[in-house]
Amino acid sequence: MSLQQPEIEAEYFSLSEREIFIRIAERKKELAGRLLILCHHYQQENMFRFADLVGDSLKLAREAAAIHGPEFIVFCGVHFMAESADILARSHQKVMLPHLHAGCPMADMATVGAVSMAYRDLVQAGIVQNEEALVPVTYVNSSAAIKAFVGERGGSVCTSSNAERVLEWALAKGEKVFFFPDEHLGRNSALALGIPADQICVWRRGELLGGNSVEQLRRARILLWDGYCEVHMRFLPDHVRRWRLHVPDIKIMVHPECASEVVQVADHYGSTEAIIAAVNKSPAGSKWAIGTEMNLVSRLQRQHPDKEIHLLAASPCLCTTMDCNQPVSLLWLLDNLAAGRVVNQIKVAPDVAVQARKSLEQMLSI
Ligand code: 13P
Ligand code: SF4
């Protein structure tokens, strides 16, 4: 979701990088005890240096919920992450994004209107007897409204590290599972559980019955919304073949948002935290080609000069929306906080938050 970013005054853009860094450090000191800066692994280094806590989206939301003191939580990540933090935060805490254009295009690919319509069509076509037979599972990269839709129907959120476990739970609970918004995480997790490919259907937005025949839908155990991450779709099986040809002892690790053709030929796949853990525990001299966002890969390169680490693709793979968060917008936000003004707050409506919390809590209990 891209919200309207208030104008940042022109004088901020005349500051040098050094001045910006000094002023951010000063503001952090002034707001000490009241401020917590969280930073996702995909943020650039110039934001990362000011983080109090770093992690993947779920870890950051959980940690924000566990730290009750700070009144201001600045989430250097994207919109859905700030929403999750707000849902799990205490009532006195305010969650903010440094720049309101930092959204996740994949999360925006599943809207409550379109998902509700798909549910209605599936019941009307007699694919399932009622909506309860179709258990919804949403990737954490989704709006609070989608999480609420899932929570209301007894479904669950999942992350890239627990998607298989959550899918297994959902398959045991109902006749079929509807997974959104990421087709690829859904397919990779279903294949890992041994679900045959002909029992997995893609629901294509805008097409009659999602572009499937009644027969295909009857046979399917898992329906996948056709959302995707532009960043992870850039990695191709050909990249894997090329690295293996040139560096025979290289290990390939990719994020499960990559297409299954890539995941199937990689040596390992896993969430951002799993990628970091695999590189951290590999011995000196290890060689890696990694298929995920380039800021994380560059950081791993800097942190492990004793290892050979490459981006799997030849061209840059940047999460451009997350990159809207820049030091200048962080300074602008902190200046406002220091002056007593809360800007760029991400606030989930209370009725939506109650239902969305159910789907997040369901995940934590699986
Ligand atoms: P994590 O859940 O691992 O933080 O990943 C979020 C994301 O957007 C990956 O593209
Ligand atoms: Fe969304 Fe992809 Fe960016 Fe992750 S990397 S926040 S899925 S656009």
Side-chain angles (χ1 to χ4, degrees):
M1 184 189 293
S2 184
L3 304 168
Q4 193 55 42
Q5 167 65 36
E7 200 179 338
I8 298 177
E9 294 81 356
E11 72 225 43
Y12 280 96
F13 297 97
S14 59
L15 296 172
S16 69
E17 189 176 65
R18 192 165 171 274
E19 284 169 319
I20 293 174
F21 289 175
I22 291 171
R23 281 182 52 181
I24 292 176
E26 284 169 0
R27 291 289 173 257
K28 278 197 72 176
K29 264 198 203 142
E30 269 174 63
L31 294 162
R34 299 173 68 201
L35 171 72
L36 182 70
I37 300 184
L38 306 176
C39 207
H40 188 267
H41 293 305
Y42 291 168
Q43 286 278 200
Q44 54 161 299
E45 226 45 43
N46 283 347
M47 298 295 282
F48 223 68
R49 62 197 298 154
F50 296 110
D52 298 309
L53 283 171
V54 300
D56 66 4
S57 57
L58 185 74
K59 180 176 158 195
L60 290 174
R62 271 188 176 150
E63 297 205 5
I67 299 173
H68 304 159
E71 180 186 347
F72 306 128
I73 298 173
V74 176
F75 207 125
C76 304
V78 291
H79 188 256
F80 78 81
M81 299 177 187
E83 279 190 331
S84 298
D86 182 59
I87 291 165
L88 296 172
R90 304 281 153 148
S91 56
H92 72 283
Q93 295 181 305
K94 295 178 176 62
V95 180
M96 286 149 276
L97 271 178
H99 200 290
L100 291 183
H101 292 174
C104 168
M106 183 220 275
D108 296 341
M109 290 176 193
T111 61
V112 171
V115 169
S116 311
M117 236 145 56
Y119 258 75
R120 194 199 54 203
D121 291 352
L122 285 160
V123 174
Q124 275 178 3
I127 308 299
V128 281
Q129 270 197 336
N130 50 42
E131 291 201 356
E132 284 71 58
L134 193 54
V135 183
V137 172
T138 186
Y139 186 23
V140 68
N141 293 37
S142 54
S143 66
I146 283 285
K147 292 188 180 83
F149 176 94
V150 170
E152 270 169 47
R153 287 160 183 77
S156 179
V157 172
C158 75
T159 71
S160 49
S161 34
N162 63 16
E164 287 163 31
R165 223 168 338 127
V166 174
L167 257 191
E168 211 168 16
W169 165 86
L171 285 166
K173 181 174 155 87
E175 233 176 89
K176 296 181 193 292
V177 174
F178 210 158
F179 187 96
F180 18 79
D182 187 15
E183 170 187 338
H184 303 284
L185 176 65
R187 181 179 295 105
N188 288 321
S189 310
L191 293 175
L193 287 177
I195 309 281
D198 68 346
Q199 293 181 19
I200 304 170
C201 268
V202 179
W203 184 273
R204 292 184 185 79
R205 284 164 285 164
E207 292 188 30
L208 196 65
L209 287 181
N212 301 285
S213 65
V214 168
E215 186 43 47
Q216 280 172 319
L217 289 168
R218 288 227 164 97
R219 195 172 45 227
R221 295 196 65 208
I222 299 188
L223 308 183
L224 305 173
W225 199 254
D226 66 345
Y228 58 89
C229 166
E230 292 163 0
V231 179
H232 289 92
M233 290 319 288
R234 301 221 188 121
F235 301 107
L236 305 172
D238 206 39
H239 296 137
V240 177
R241 281 191 282 275
R242 281 177 192 215
W243 277 113
R244 291 219 171 105
L245 191 68
H246 294 296
V247 189
D249 54 345
I250 201 157
K251 289 261 174 289
I252 313 283
M253 183 152 189
V254 299
H255 193 279
E257 287 174 17
C258 294
S260 64
E261 295 76 20
V262 179
V263 170
Q264 302 282 320
V265 293
D267 295 299
H268 310 281
Y269 72 93
S271 62
T272 46
E273 288 284 334
I275 291 172
I276 295 166
V279 173
N280 283 350
K281 69 170 194 259
S282 66
S286 304
K287 296 171 188 167
W288 292 93
I290 298 177
T292 197
E293 209 272 351
M294 59 184 278
N295 279 321
L296 171 55
V297 179
S298 310
R299 186 170 307 113
L300 288 171
Q301 285 168 338
R302 281 191 297 276
Q303 288 172 346
H304 299 273
D306 57 333
K307 298 170 195 173
E308 197 183 307
I309 298 170
H310 306 273
L311 184 69
L312 180 60
S315 56
C317 299
L318 177 76
C319 180
T320 50
T321 47
M322 197 179 304
D323 208 48
C324 290
N325 295 322
Q326 292 284 331
V328 70
S329 49
L330 178 61
L331 172 61
W332 166 82
L333 186 149
L334 297 182
D335 276 350
N336 274 289
L337 285 182
R341 291 184 297 268
V342 173
V343 290
N344 286 11
Q345 187 179 357
I346 303 301
K347 183 92 202 99
V348 178
D351 54 329
V352 175
V354 166
Q355 298 299 339
R357 195 176 297 119
K358 282 188 195 165
S359 62
L360 282 161
E361 282 168 356
Q362 180 58 62
M363 171 181 72
L364 301 177
S365 74
I366 293 171

